[in-house]
Amino acid sequence: QGKILDAIVSGQLIIPSATFTNTSGVSTTTPARAVPPLGAYVSGGITKDLSAGIGMFTPYGLTVGWPQGWEGRSLITYASLATYDINPTLAYKLGPVRIGAGVQIVYATVDLQQDIALPGGTFGKTQLGADAWGVGANAGIQLEAIPKVLSFGLAYRSTVVLNFDGAAHFEGFPQTLQSVFHDQPGTSRFVLPDS
């Protein structure tokens, strides 16, 4: 007995902010930018003891953009990392013990931008954009020590390796430098830690 289908939608509103103060005491603050991590989860019983579910959520990610022309523009003007996790899971009940396991399917994007100082006080612009897919696993166990009153549980989520594949784009560079600063492929590796 119990609920046949459970559905949950969750959300948060994160507004990151960073401030840089130079040696002269002049400060630059990033504009307010909302980063709303969202989640949706659906689960249901297949039999009396076997259940299945799927979750879709954004476990990691952040976006920071600096004002145009700020003094650290040659280091960074914009940075964004977003991950999207799809997690189908099965769970089985053995008396007071519940055991579950699932697969993590992760899609991630990265966008990095900066200006490059050129002779004569001008700047060129560069942008690196890439995406990646990764796969991991998760498992958990729960013991219902006192029915409907007290439970104990353990959960584990594996590492996920993301091998980003993308391209670097350059613009605003004089003809004499375009042999060095030209569009080209870019790769990187990022590891989501286990927990």
Side-chain angles (χ1 to χ4, degrees), residues 97-121:
V97 178
R98 295 179 177 89
I99 301 171
V103 177
Q104 298 180 77
I105 303 168
V106 181
Y107 176 69
T109 61
V110 64
D111 184 4
L112 304 174
Q113 301 175 29
Q114 71 180 93
D115 293 348
I116 297 178
L118 301 173

Side-chain angles (χ1 to χ4, degrees), residues 56-123:
M56 293 171 283
F57 49 96
T58 53
Y60 296 95
L62 193 61
T63 299
V64 177
W66 290 90
Q68 185 174 2
W70 84 290
E71 64 184 284
R73 61 195 287 189
S74 60
L75 298 174
I76 190 71
T77 58
Y78 178 83
S80 175
L81 171 67
T83 59
Y84 307 93
D85 198 320
I86 303 170
N87 196 172
T89 303
L90 287 174
Y92 192 76
K93 181 181 178 184
L94 296 166
V97 178
R98 295 179 177 89
I99 301 171
V103 177
Q104 298 180 77
I105 303 168
V106 181
Y107 176 69
T109 61
V110 64
D111 184 4
L112 304 174
Q113 301 175 29
Q114 71 180 93
D115 293 348
I116 297 178
L118 301 173
T122 61
F123 287 83

Side-chain angles (χ1 to χ4, degrees), residues 1 5 11 21 34 45 55 74 94 108 112 138-139 142 167-168 171 177:
Q1 294 183 357
L5 186 68
T21 304
S74 60
L94 296 166
L112 304 174
N138 67 293
Q142 182 185 57
E171 63 180 53
L177 293 176

Side-chain angles (χ1 to χ4, degrees), residues 19-186:
T19 299
F20 169 80
T21 304
N22 64 18
T23 55
S24 300
V26 178
S27 296
T28 303
T29 301
T30 58
R33 187 189 304 267
V35 182
L38 302 174
Y41 310 87
V42 177
S43 64
I46 298 175
T47 68
K48 178 176 177 290
D49 297 318
L50 180 65
S51 299
I54 186 169
M56 293 171 283
F57 49 96
T58 53
Y60 296 95
L62 193 61
T63 299
V64 177
W66 290 90
Q68 185 174 2
W70 84 290
E71 64 184 284
R73 61 195 287 189
S74 60
L75 298 174
I76 190 71
T77 58
Y78 178 83
S80 175
L81 171 67
T83 59
Y84 307 93
D85 198 320
I86 303 170
N87 196 172
T89 303
L90 287 174
Y92 192 76
K93 181 181 178 184
L94 296 166
V97 178
R98 295 179 177 89
I99 301 171
V103 177
Q104 298 180 77
I105 303 168
V106 181
Y107 176 69
T109 61
V110 64
D111 184 4
L112 304 174
Q113 301 175 29
Q114 71 180 93
D115 293 348
I116 297 178
L118 301 173
T122 61
F123 287 83
K125 297 182 181 295
T126 180
Q127 177 183 16
L128 173 62
D131 64 353
W133 287 92
V135 177
N138 67 293
I141 185 169
Q142 182 185 57
L143 171 64
E144 191 172 20
I146 303 175
K148 298 182 181 180
V149 176
L150 179 64
S151 296
F152 298 96
L154 292 172
Y156 174 75
R157 190 170 292 275
S158 74
T159 59
V160 176
V161 178
L162 298 168
N163 291 306
F164 284 95
D165 187 16
H169 173 68
F170 298 87
E171 63 180 53
F173 292 87
Q175 187 71 32
T176 55
L177 293 176
Q178 288 183 6
S179 62
V180 177
F181 297 102
H182 58 87
D183 291 4
Q184 53 194 285

